[in-house]
Amino acid sequence: MTADQASAATGSGAELNPGTKSWKPRAHPISWLTLVVTTGAILMTSIDNGILPAVLPQISAEYGLDAKQGGLINSVFFGALVLGGILFGIIADRVGTGYRRTWTWNIAMLLAILGGALTFGATTSFFLLLLWRVPMGLSRGGSEPVNVALVSEWWPKEHRGFALGVHHTGFPIGQFATGALIAAILGVAGWREAFLLIPLLGIIIVVLQAFVGTKKNQQKVYDWIDENHLTRPLPELSTKLSGGVMAPVREALKSPNVRWAVVLVFLFLWGEAGAVTFLTTQFVQLGMSAGQAALIAGASGLTGWIGQVVWGTVSDHVGRKFSIAFLIIGWSLALLGMIFIVGTTSAWLVLLFWGLFRNAPFPVVYALLIDSVPKAAGTAMGIMIGIALGLSGVFASIVAGAIIDAYGFTTHYIVLAAIVALALIPLSRIKETVAGRGKEVAR
């Protein structure tokens, strides 16, 4: 397929991702440096995501909370996340793509730093704990779509899946590191001190991104891509969508791929939110100490990086849809496996298996969205993250808590596995975006 044919198939000037035959990723050194910094940002996001479930038993004990009230803490966070994802995604596309995303992203990250500091230093009631989850939710919703779009715009299109797969290794690394860090902190301090991790990590990352993400550096990357006969992620260093404030939203929602990806990721994230919120609680009920439970709950992070790098890279070769279908099946089997956790050994084995699948779908779906709507990538991912992650978080934790209270953990995991398996339906409606793997990209 020629570039003109690909453009005609996709509509609005977007071309199919050319894919690659090379298993060795090639990029400018600055692209690799950008990847390191943005992976650090995802690491911070992952730690933020893992702190609350890890210390929920201590919070519940201090404030006398039941499972439903514990789920409410997550629901407030995810309610703010919905707004943050959509708002910052639109702002990022309106301000501009490429190097211009740096400052939009830094502002979003500063909200998480503020929320973490306030949770540590100014939480004297359950109400204030809920209140400080709002800026942290706004940050999580806003920083991730901008961060993903940012890294994709500093790498050749041929290796987009690889870059996003490596970039998202911050999640599994953070999932395990959070457990280890929280276990250490709980040994010498309380749950409030755990939230100091966010400001400490965030300040370093914001400074590094401001230093790396400049117009001059991006020009060096694009010149290198041209010299090495690869494909620029965007024709220009930075573009802005014309039209009103809602122009990026209209551009993103024109694509059926964006609409169906929201449904697909919603189902994945329902399964994740339902599982992780109460993992530590489940392990404590099995007789583990709080520190041991927090450590094992993050075990999926030890193997999570494998699935992300492998399936992000594979999707550049065999297409996005095949990769996602495989991961749906693996996810469902892993959730069913959690029924058989009876002690520390079985917990380690099941969670290490889940790690091979847990985080891998998301960079593949992100690559698909950026392929589909390159000029509205921030908005598309903001809509997906805001709606899918936000709404799943709002409802999944409360519903999961109610199911656990009424029927126990076995029914809880059967329901979650069935929800994830339903993702095969929206996947069947998505059009492939890698050249040679599908007739067209849906627009």
Side-chain angles (χ1 to χ4, degrees):
M1 177 179 287
T2 66
D4 290 342
Q5 289 172 326
S7 180
T10 58
S12 300
E15 296 183 8
L16 292 173
N17 189 302
T20 182
K21 294 181 180 180
S22 172
W23 290 95
K24 181 180 179 181
R26 299 171 60 211
H28 190 276
I30 293 175
S31 299
W32 287 98
L33 181 57
T34 301
L35 187 55
V36 171
V37 175
T38 53
T39 301
I42 290 296
L43 174 65
M44 174 183 163
T45 298
S46 180
I47 289 176
D48 169 30
N49 203 40
I51 289 175
L52 179 62
V55 301
L56 186 57
Q58 287 71 38
I59 294 174
S60 297
E62 179 171 333
Y63 294 111
L65 310 179
D66 59 22
K68 289 183 182 178
Q69 291 172 313
L72 178 62
I73 303 174
N74 250 6
S75 296
V76 170
F77 172 83
F78 282 106
L81 187 150
V82 174
L83 178 61
I86 296 173
L87 179 63
F88 277 95
I90 294 172
I91 291 173
D93 289 334
R94 293 294 299 170
V95 170
T97 61
Y99 66 91
R100 287 194 173 101
R101 293 196 192 276
T102 294
W103 294 106
T104 306
W105 177 78
N106 278 350
I107 291 171
M109 293 291 284
L110 288 171
L111 288 175
I113 296 170
L114 175 65
L118 289 172
T119 302
F120 163 70
T123 300
T124 57
S125 67
F126 179 55
F127 171 77
L128 287 175
L129 175 64
L130 294 178
L131 182 62
W132 306 144
R133 297 303 288 167
V134 173
M136 298 178 80
L138 290 171
S139 173
R140 170 68 194 277
S143 63
E144 188 173 349
V146 181
N147 192 25
V148 173
L150 193 154
V151 69
S152 73
E153 291 164 357
W154 288 68
W155 271 76
K157 286 179 71 172
E158 287 84 351
H159 300 294
R160 176 172 288 162
F162 164 81
L164 293 178
V166 172
H167 161 267
H168 256 55
T169 59
F171 272 117
I173 294 171
Q175 285 154 9
F176 180 75
T178 301
L181 288 169
I182 299 304
I185 289 171
L186 292 178
V188 296
W191 61 266
R192 288 174 177 81
E193 281 74 14
F195 287 92
L196 275 179
L197 291 171
I198 296 170
L200 292 176
L201 283 172
I203 292 172
I204 297 171
I205 294 167
V206 166
V207 171
L208 286 174
Q209 182 56 45
F211 176 77
V212 175
T214 64
K215 181 178 181 180
K216 180 180 179 181
N217 282 340
Q218 191 179 355
Q219 185 65 62
K220 292 179 181 178
V221 169
Y222 277 43
D223 290 344
W224 183 93
I225 290 173
D226 293 340
E227 292 167 2
N228 286 270
H229 309 292
L230 295 170
T231 309
R232 289 185 176 197
L234 290 171
E236 302 172 7
L237 293 183
S238 183
T239 61
K240 299 180 182 180
L241 284 174
S242 58
V245 173
M246 298 303 292
V249 177
R250 289 192 294 269
E251 175 72 11
L253 292 180
K254 282 195 304 183
S255 169
N257 272 9
V258 174
R259 300 195 297 269
W260 285 114
V262 170
V263 179
L264 185 149
V265 172
F266 171 80
L267 296 171
F268 267 122
L269 290 171
W270 183 293
E272 183 174 52
V276 301
T277 302
F278 298 102
L279 266 180
T280 305
T281 301
Q282 178 189 6
F283 294 166
V284 169
Q285 290 179 7
L286 289 172
M288 302 180 197
S289 68
Q292 185 182 37
L295 176 65
I296 299 176
S300 62
L302 289 174
T303 51
W305 65 272
I306 300 173
Q308 290 185 300
V309 175
V310 168
W311 286 102
T313 305
V314 167
S315 74
D316 287 331
H317 293 260
V318 304
R320 314 298 187 203
K321 290 188 64 174
F322 175 83
S323 302
I324 296 169
F326 182 92
L327 294 166
I328 289 171
I329 296 170
W331 252 78
S332 295
L333 292 175
L335 289 172
L336 290 174
M338 293 181 189
I339 295 170
F340 304 100
I341 294 176
V342 294
T344 57
T345 300
S346 55
W348 277 106
L349 290 174
V350 171
L351 291 180
L352 288 173
F353 176 73
W354 188 32
L356 296 172
F357 309 99
R358 177 179 173 181
N359 302 107
F362 307 115
V364 179
V365 175
Y366 290 151
L368 182 144
L369 287 182
I370 298 168
D371 291 342
S372 301
V373 284
K375 292 184 179 180
T379 302
M381 288 184 292
I383 290 171
M384 186 187 72
I385 293 170
I387 295 176
L389 180 56
L391 293 183
S392 66
V394 168
F395 295 108
S397 298
I398 293 177
V399 173
I403 290 174
I404 292 168
D405 286 342
Y407 303 106
F409 280 98
T410 296
T411 301
H412 165 63
Y413 287 124
I414 291 173
V415 170
L416 292 182
I419 287 172
V420 171
L422 287 174
L424 290 169
I425 297 174
L427 179 64
S428 69
R429 307 290 300 187
I430 287 174
K431 298 294 181 68
E432 183 57 71
T433 62
V434 175
R437 304 300 173 185
K439 293 182 180 179
E440 60 175 341
V441 60
R443 292 287 298 180

